[in-house]
Structures are given as C-alpha cells and as structure tokens.
Amino acid sequence: MPSVMWRELTAEELRAKAAADAVVLLPVASIEQHGPHLPTGVDTILCEAVCRLGAERVVADTPVVVAPTLWCGMAEHHMAFGGTFTFDVPTYRSVLLALLKSLERHDFKRVLIVNGHGGNIAALNAFLPDFARETALKIRCATYFAFATTDISEVLEDQKGVQHACEVETSLMMVVAPEMVKRDRLPEAFGGVTGPSARESWYAVPSRFRSFRDVTASGVNGDARRASEAKGERLLAICVDGLADALRNAKLWD
Ligand SMILES: [Zn+2]
C-alpha cells in the first residue's frame, strides 16, 4: 500500500491526489510539557498517529492524504514549565493560512483540520470565518476525540474525558510510543483540578487566563497512575474508528 503521508510521497503522487479530489487531513498539535513521565511531543505524536491510522483505514476507497503535522500551537499556559513552544494568535493564524493557501494552489478542495491540543480549540474556531473568506477551500475542523462515536468515559476510571498528560494521554502513549513513557515517574504523575467540579473550575465566570503552573505542581491534570495499555488500545480504536467514519461520511462536505 502506498503511504498516506504527504512527506513520504513525490510531488507527482501528490498532484494525482489532488486530481482525485483527495481530502487533506491537516494535523495541528503542540510541543509542550506533559508532566514528569511523558515527552513534550505527546500531542504531535498522538494526533499524527490517529490521522495516519484513520487515513490508512479508508484510503482504498476514499482518496485521502495526511499533511505534515503543524507541531507548534497555542501553549502559553504551559510555558512556565519549560520545554514548550507557543505561537501568539496572529502568528498562528498566518501560519495556518499559508498552509491552507498552499493546498489551494495545488488544487486540493477539501481540508479536514484534525486538532490534537486543547489550547488550540478556541483559536481554530475563531479562524474558521476568516479561512472561509480568504480561501475557496471547504474546511472542516475538529479535535480528534470529537469524532468518537463511543463515549470514552466508559473506558476510564478516573476522569470523564481528555485532560492533560492524564489517564487518557498516558494510556495512548503506552500503545503508540511505549518507549517514550517513563514508567518509573508514574507515581508522581497526577494533580490539577479533577473530579466532578473540574469543568466549572476551568470555565469559571468571568473568564481568565491561568497558567498550568497555578493549577498543578506536576504539570499533569488528571491521574496518569490509572493509565494502562489496555485502555490505550481501546481509546486508540475509538479515535481511529471515529475519524475513519468521518472520512467516509460525504455529508461532512455538504
Ligand atoms: Zn497533550
């Protein structure tokens, strides 16, 4: 099977992808602190893995290609821990628009931006009207867990959804890049605002900016001690199934 990854294909193969009206998956992620036990690349590694596996699942009947992952995003809230890069909003908008305009110039028509980092969500949603005005592309955007058609809380013991360097991300890393998980540091890998009132705490009224440093000493929000490979296998399958279903759903482009 030929690769689904843009960077592994020739320009000629990519011209053929555009001629076949392939959907471009554009993974957007982050490089940022992920506690004492996980590398800074977690969001980039996981987002790209879900995109690659989802694209490989459907490529035999649905033309698709995975663009190189945008590894820098909006991560001001992690800067205090070190190990973190961040854009500001105007730079992020400019970089994304340059990538989208490149795709447009190569005659791609449909782009699904697949996000792997919570800190990007507000900016991405804010950019969509501008991108619709400034390109002729059909652009859709979602964070990869949003495609899940199975409730991931059924897999989890300690949390309802994705937090940070947590039960979810650590379990996924145990499957996608197990050699990068420092298991000897897991006993320290918990903290932050968790439990039933976490959502109200993070989204208090009025809104305010908060550094993760003010919320968690470890850099973790959640409890990575609950992570396991078995959970990681199930979570990965849920995410890949959800993305593959979305790619096969023509209504996505109505
Ligand atoms: Zn993360």
Side-chain angles (χ1 to χ4, degrees):
M1 183 172 70
S3 175
V4 295
M5 303 303 279
W6 183 292
R7 65 177 178 226
E8 297 172 13
L9 298 173
T10 64
E12 181 180 302
E13 288 168 326
L14 287 159
R15 291 196 299 272
K17 288 276 190 187
D21 191 24
V23 172
V24 180
L25 293 186
L26 177 57
V28 298
S30 184
I31 296 286
E32 70 199 26
Q33 74 83 19
H34 270 80
H37 64 304
L38 292 177
T40 53
V42 166
D43 295 3
T44 295
I45 292 163
L46 294 180
C47 188
E48 184 167 307
V50 170
C51 286
R52 182 172 57 77
L53 293 168
E56 286 174 351
R57 177 82 60 82
V58 304
V59 70
D61 54 71
T62 306
V64 63
V65 61
V66 182
T69 304
L70 180 54
W71 59 266
C72 190
M74 300 299 297
E76 182 61 38
H77 52 305
H78 292 296
M79 287 295 281
F81 286 91
T84 301
F85 288 92
T86 191
F87 285 140
D88 55 17
V89 163
T91 308
Y92 193 30
R93 180 188 180 284
S94 296
V95 169
L96 271 173
L97 189 57
L99 299 181
L100 292 167
K101 282 186 176 290
S102 297
L103 295 173
E104 184 178 36
R105 288 173 65 188
H106 298 316
D107 291 329
F108 288 98
K109 305 278 189 271
R110 300 180 290 167
V111 180
L112 178 54
I113 299 172
V114 180
N115 175 43
H117 169 55
N120 292 341
I121 294 172
L124 291 169
N125 287 335
F127 297 153
L128 287 177
D130 288 7
F131 294 164
R133 185 182 65 234
E134 295 184 36
T135 78
L137 295 165
K138 285 187 175 178
I139 299 169
R140 306 291 183 264
C141 179
T143 300
Y144 66 85
F145 274 100
F147 294 113
T149 53
T150 304
D151 183 356
I152 67 162
S153 69
E154 290 167 19
V155 181
L156 304 174
E157 291 170 78
D158 193 64
Q159 55 193 72
K160 292 260 174 279
V162 188
Q163 295 183 5
H164 185 73
C166 57
E167 186 179 6
V168 175
E169 289 190 323
T170 308
S171 296
L172 284 168
M173 283 296 285
M174 286 175 171
V175 174
V176 173
E179 72 286 0
M180 295 186 205
V181 179
K182 293 188 193 299
R183 287 167 190 267
D184 59 321
R185 302 299 298 275
L186 280 172
E188 303 159 63
F190 65 97
V193 185
T194 58
S197 61
R199 206 177 154 74
E200 295 88 88
S201 175
W202 280 107
Y203 298 100
V205 177
S207 299
R208 54 168 289 190
F209 171 74
R210 276 202 298 194
S211 170
F212 250 57
R213 179 59 99 189
D214 298 332
V215 178
T216 164
S218 65
V220 176
N221 190 56
D223 193 343
R225 296 172 299 181
R226 300 272 185 269
S228 72
E229 273 149 53
K231 288 177 188 171
E233 298 278 7
R234 289 178 64 195
L235 292 164
L236 186 64
I238 288 169
C239 293
V240 173
D241 289 351
L243 178 58
D245 286 351
L247 287 168
R248 287 198 166 115
N249 179 7
K251 289 200 177 77
L252 194 69
W253 307 100
D254 284 352

